[in-house]
Amino acid sequence: MKAKSIKKTAITALKIGVSVLLFYFVVTKIDFLEVLKNIKESNMGLLVLSGVFLLLSQVVSSYRLNVFFHTLGYKLSHKSNHILYLVGMFYNFFIPGGIGGDAYKIYLLNKEFGWKVKKLSAAAFVDRFSGLTAIGMLLVLLMIPFVQNLGWFESYLVLYGLGVVLISFVPLIAFVFIQKLFGSFKTVFFKTLGYSLVIQLLQLASVACLVANFQVLQDLFSYLLVFLISVVLSIVSFAGIGVREFVFYQAADFLQYDKDISVAIGLLFTFLTALISIIGVWFLIKKATLRLVDH
């Protein structure tokens, strides 16, 4: 048990260290005052709309997780699951040295209803995996116009044909993986994958609002691609902080975009995520009662 605690502390410390180092790197490479100036001049309407899309993505994320719970026979009400999800977001974003959001949800559900930790952990993992599958599909989709602009393929037919094959290949491989290792969830795999695609599209819409805010819509697809890459890489940092800004900075450097604006987009997304995560503290203090449904 002690070894587990040491390992967890070491991983947390490593993630925080990665976030701090990458964020420091970015700050030293840009005019941070110019970034703040760009943010201050933002269109409030577009920021609010971006926040709404991001919040909606979390609502759908919560619903997707509950589909996995219900598949196991764990009939948590959607309202209770939304509350639990927001509290989990708070833990993920604001308590780096403590229990993670998924671990908190598993602990509480096990404590309240006696549901098996192993099954709850499997649901949480497959929930994350479903999101990653959707990201993989959208990455391929967004790579097509990006690669097309680079001129790597002489034939558009070959490029788009390859894209269709890869987009189809990603969910099929994911389904085989779930079928082999997590058979209990295979019946809802494609249903939840649909939710995952909606979630990611809502988050892309959130980022698109930020891109529009800085009036760089001509580079929209590139920014959306960069955002998805930052989501995948965020696993090595704390709450995606540092990594997101680093990826946006490096992408701007590679694509010769305005680095201050690129980093500002990453920072604003992090800020909006933090604002939504704060909602969870209200339910944490209130200690809302978790309820079940009969159907």
Side-chain angles (χ1 to χ4, degrees):
M1 200 70 180
K2 189 177 179 181
K4 273 189 175 182
S5 179
I6 294 173
K7 182 181 178 181
K8 180 185 174 184
T9 303
I11 291 173
T12 301
L14 181 62
K15 286 186 174 183
I16 294 173
V18 168
S19 288
V20 171
L21 285 173
L22 290 181
F23 193 80
Y24 175 77
F25 172 84
V26 172
V27 169
T28 57
K29 293 292 182 179
I30 60 171
D31 185 346
F32 198 67
L33 291 177
E34 186 64 27
V35 171
L36 293 178
K37 180 185 174 185
N38 287 333
I39 292 175
K40 285 179 182 178
E41 294 172 354
S42 293
N43 182 316
M44 190 55 64
L46 284 171
L47 293 190
V48 170
L49 187 59
S50 178
V52 169
F53 280 128
L54 184 56
L55 180 59
L56 286 174
S57 77
Q58 299 308 318
V59 171
V60 181
S61 293
S62 168
Y63 189 83
R64 179 187 65 192
L65 177 60
N66 213 22
V67 170
F68 289 120
F69 287 157
H70 283 213
T71 302
L72 295 172
Y74 299 159
K75 305 294 185 177
L76 186 65
S77 73
H78 289 306
K79 181 180 178 181
S80 293
N81 191 57
H82 289 324
I83 290 171
L84 197 58
Y85 200 89
L86 286 169
V87 175
M89 283 186 68
F90 173 76
Y91 269 91
N92 277 336
F93 203 95
F94 291 105
I95 309 180
I99 186 172
D102 285 342
Y104 172 79
K105 285 177 273 191
I106 292 167
Y107 162 77
L108 197 60
L109 292 172
N110 172 258
K111 180 183 176 183
E112 289 288 323
F113 306 114
W115 295 343
K116 293 182 179 179
V117 170
K118 187 175 181 180
K119 287 187 174 181
L120 290 169
S121 299
F125 174 81
V126 176
D127 178 68
R128 297 280 184 177
F129 184 76
S130 177
L132 188 61
T133 303
I135 290 173
M137 294 173 69
L138 291 172
L139 273 172
V140 174
L141 184 63
L142 289 170
M143 278 295 292
I144 293 172
F146 182 76
V147 171
Q148 181 179 321
N149 289 335
L150 291 176
W152 290 353
F153 284 80
E154 291 184 7
S155 171
Y156 288 167
L157 183 62
V158 172
L159 174 61
Y160 282 88
L162 182 60
V164 170
V165 170
L166 289 175
I167 290 172
S168 305
F169 188 69
V170 170
L172 288 176
I173 290 296
F175 178 71
V176 170
F177 174 78
I178 294 299
Q179 191 176 36
K180 292 289 185 183
L181 299 180
F182 301 94
S184 303
F185 303 110
K186 66 181 181 181
T187 57
V188 295
F189 173 80
F190 288 104
K191 176 182 178 180
T192 51
L193 179 58
Y195 289 139
S196 297
L197 288 168
V198 171
I199 290 162
Q200 295 307 323
L201 288 172
L202 285 168
Q203 293 202 3
L204 289 178
S206 176
V207 175
C209 289
L210 299 180
V211 173
N213 172 61
F214 292 109
Q215 300 177 0
V216 286
L217 280 172
Q218 70 275 11
D219 304 318
L220 176 62
F221 289 113
S222 296
Y223 278 117
L224 296 181
L225 177 63
V226 170
F227 169 73
L228 288 178
I229 293 172
S230 75
V231 172
V232 175
L233 295 179
S234 65
I235 191 174
V236 302
S237 68
F238 168 62
I241 300 171
V243 165
R244 186 176 298 113
E245 291 76 19
F246 177 78
V247 172
F248 271 87
Y249 170 82
Q250 291 292 357
D253 191 39
F254 176 73
L255 299 169
Q256 297 183 332
Y257 292 166
D258 187 308
K259 295 174 185 176
D260 295 335
I261 287 177
S262 189
V263 171
I265 292 171
L267 276 174
L268 277 176
F269 189 86
T270 299
F271 176 71
L272 291 172
T273 304
L275 279 182
I276 293 173
S277 301
I278 288 174
I279 300 172
V281 78
W282 163 254
F283 297 107
L284 190 63
I285 294 170
K286 189 180 177 183
K287 295 183 178 178
T289 303
L290 300 179
R291 302 186 185 280
L292 304 178
V293 291
D294 297 327
H295 52 83

